[in-house]
Amino acid sequence: MAMEAAFIGIDWGTTNLRAWLLTAEGQSLEARSSARGMSGLDPADFASTLEGILQGWPTDLPVLACGMVGARQGWIEAPYVSLPAAPPSLGDRLILAPASRRVLIVPGIAARDPQGRLADVARGEETQAIGAAAPGPGLLVCPGTHSKWIRTDGPRILDLQTFMTGELYGLLSSQSVLRHAIGSKAQPGDAFRQGVEDMLQGRPLAEALFSVRVQSLDGRLATIDAASRLSGLLIGAEVAAGMARFGFSPVRLVGNPELTSLYASALAQAGYQAVEVIDGDQAVCRGLAHIWNARP
């Protein structure tokens, strides 16, 4: 018996738009993607952009969207749900978008300090975390432009910490003095591992970053290795800080293979013994299904 789509899942980020025809269990029957992310759209463009990527799919299927589409600068704001958060608390706070078809937007999540002020936020990663979480207590690491470390207990999100690792790498490798040394993509080799080790040993990041230029000038660091050292320093700083906050526990890495291979290497170097890699798209699809099925 052929499986049937129950709804359409959307992950609409800052730079990309992804869509899936999903079963009620979160299995993808068909997937599409577009470079029309939130940052390149005016509010009036969202409805037509969505219809463009969904062309040919059933128009009577409801849509559940997560990500920056629900940010204040996105299509329509879906206010943050304070931690702890789980599928029922997110499903209860879905926001209806102004569209010709039924489009519901998943709210982001917010960690707050003892005074109730925002301490950290996430949009999109909450759905990914719900779909990737272990059955019991666990730690998720979601590499990206703004990497997230997320403490979970089953599909319940307890805590999170954001690191601007990917954005810093992009800025430093393309707009700083270090750009003159960068000649290829980062790889988890010796140059990467040495960068990680410097951070695990407590070397100041701002000082260590300039070593990429210094070592390139005198030939100690080949052009092919400069990106790897820079990546090792930034990911190493993230891992050292994440380790200090969350401690050691089994880790699930959620993302694309290019990034998760670097993080898996750094986490192993830091002493994490059990690191499992979860496909990011599959995690989003499962998370969307959990939230969809938890609606009131």
Side-chain angles (χ1 to χ4, degrees), residues 16-282:
N16 292 290
L17 165 61
R18 293 174 295 168
W20 300 271
L21 273 176
L22 296 177
T23 67
E25 295 75 32
Q27 183 168 344
S28 173
L29 304 179
E30 187 178 341
R32 296 175 179 176
S33 63
S34 165
R36 298 206 70 188
M38 180 274 293
S39 65
L41 301 176
D42 292 324
D45 296 331
F46 281 91
S48 60
T49 300
L50 180 66
E51 289 304 322
I53 198 170
L54 300 186
Q55 188 172 9
W57 285 359
T59 56
D60 59 339
L61 281 180
V63 177
L64 183 62
C66 68
M68 292 300 290
V69 64
R72 188 169 298 172
Q73 301 81 15
W75 191 356
I76 184 171
E77 185 175 9
Y80 294 113
V81 171
S82 296
L83 297 182
S89 57
L90 295 171
D92 190 47
R93 298 275 297 277
L94 300 176
I95 297 298
L96 185 65
S100 59
R101 67 170 79 211
R102 184 169 174 79
V103 179
L104 298 169
I105 297 180
V106 178
I109 55 173
R112 297 186 181 274
D113 66 16
Q115 289 73 43
R117 300 170 300 191
L118 284 178
D120 211 328
V121 297
R123 284 197 186 275
E125 291 89 0
E126 77 293 319
T127 303
Q128 201 173 57
I130 288 169
L139 178 62
L140 298 171
V141 176
C142 306
T145 303
H146 299 153
S147 297
K148 308 286 183 182
W149 288 52
I150 302 175
R151 175 74 68 190
T152 59
D153 188 356
R156 191 165 179 255
I157 301 171
L158 305 179
D159 194 14
L160 78 123
Q161 179 81 59
T162 301
F163 299 89
M164 291 178 60
T165 305
E167 185 165 358
L168 284 173
Y169 179 86
L171 291 169
L172 290 168
S173 62
S174 65
Q175 298 185 39
S176 80
V177 68
L178 303 184
R179 72 186 187 279
H180 303 297
I182 305 298
S184 66
K185 289 186 176 182
Q187 303 290 334
D190 290 342
F192 177 82
R193 285 190 291 270
Q194 186 55 59
V196 172
E197 187 61 27
D198 283 354
M199 293 299 97
L200 295 177
Q201 295 299 321
R203 186 172 179 179
L205 177 60
E207 176 268 329
L209 287 171
F210 196 68
S211 72
V212 175
R213 175 162 174 78
V214 172
Q215 293 182 18
S216 297
L217 288 172
D218 75 354
R220 279 180 291 161
L221 187 65
T223 301
I224 197 172
D225 293 327
S228 298
R229 174 162 178 78
L230 175 59
S231 181
L233 290 172
L234 293 171
I235 293 176
E238 177 185 329
V239 169
M243 180 171 55
R245 173 160 178 172
F246 295 100
F248 288 97
S249 63
V251 172
R252 288 188 167 191
L253 264 175
V254 188
N256 66 65
E258 186 175 345
L259 270 177
T260 54
S261 65
L262 292 170
Y263 275 77
S265 174
L267 287 164
Q269 194 171 336
Y272 285 89
Q273 299 298 312
V275 178
E276 181 182 358
V277 178
I278 306 292
D279 179 79
D281 285 359
Q282 290 181 8

